[in-house]
Amino acid sequence: EKDSVFTVARLISADQQPLLIDYSYFPLMIGRLLSSVDLTSDIIYTQLELFGYRISHAIQRISAGKATREEAEHLRCKMGSPVLVVKRTTYVEGGQPIGYSRAVYRGDRYEYVIDLKRHANGMGK
């Protein structure tokens, strides 16, 4: 049981069309807390903060990919279609990882936007 994980798989839609599949993984003790939460509508990390976990930061990686057979079925696209893959590890204060997620977005329905600011001295922080 020490190595067991609690897995949450959610299909998120927008305008009644599938947009992404989110697979989230948590230690089993956190899963026990989450099992009492409505995971179809509640934001998981907000709930964890309500349970007393102090989330400090996350590391997110974004890459291109191709839809697997299973992903294509859920996202209603062709197998091998372009997808955006977002992997995130979330940490609590003290540097302990609390969760890992892998989200697969339909490449033709999602756009990732970053607003880049330039500081007066030309150097970012």
Side-chain angles (χ1 to χ4, degrees):
E1 185 176 350
K2 177 183 171 191
D3 296 325
S4 297
V5 295
F6 180 78
T7 304
V8 178
R10 301 191 288 183
L11 177 63
I12 311 295
S13 297
D15 300 322
Q16 295 159 3
Q17 293 291 322
L19 178 62
L20 72 114
I21 305 168
D22 179 70
Y23 304 95
S24 296
Y25 306 92
F26 301 94
L28 196 55
M29 63 180 212
I30 291 175
R32 288 187 183 115
L33 293 173
L34 292 175
S35 66
S36 65
V37 173
D38 178 5
L39 297 175
T40 62
S41 62
D42 289 329
I43 298 171
I44 292 173
Y45 289 104
T46 300
Q47 288 299 316
L48 290 177
E49 288 176 325
L50 292 173
F51 287 128
Y53 288 92
R54 298 181 65 143
I55 296 169
S56 64
H57 72 286
I59 296 175
Q60 183 166 288
R61 291 175 170 81
I62 302 169
S63 61
K66 294 181 180 182
T68 64
R69 176 176 279 116
E70 179 182 329
E71 292 163 350
E73 183 178 314
H74 291 297
L75 293 173
R76 289 193 238 149
C77 63
K78 291 183 181 178
M79 187 175 119
S81 293
V83 293
L84 190 65
V85 180
V86 178
K87 298 176 184 176
R88 180 186 306 155
T89 303
T90 303
Y91 299 84
V92 292
E93 289 180 352
Q96 181 73 24
I98 194 173
Y100 172 79
S101 68
R102 180 178 179 274
V104 179
Y105 293 79
R106 275 187 58 154
D108 62 342
R109 298 207 59 234
Y110 185 78
E111 179 181 48
Y112 194 85
V113 178
I114 301 171
D115 184 4
L116 301 173
K117 302 287 186 190
R118 183 171 171 86
H119 296 276
N121 66 4
M123 301 293 291
K125 289 188 176 189

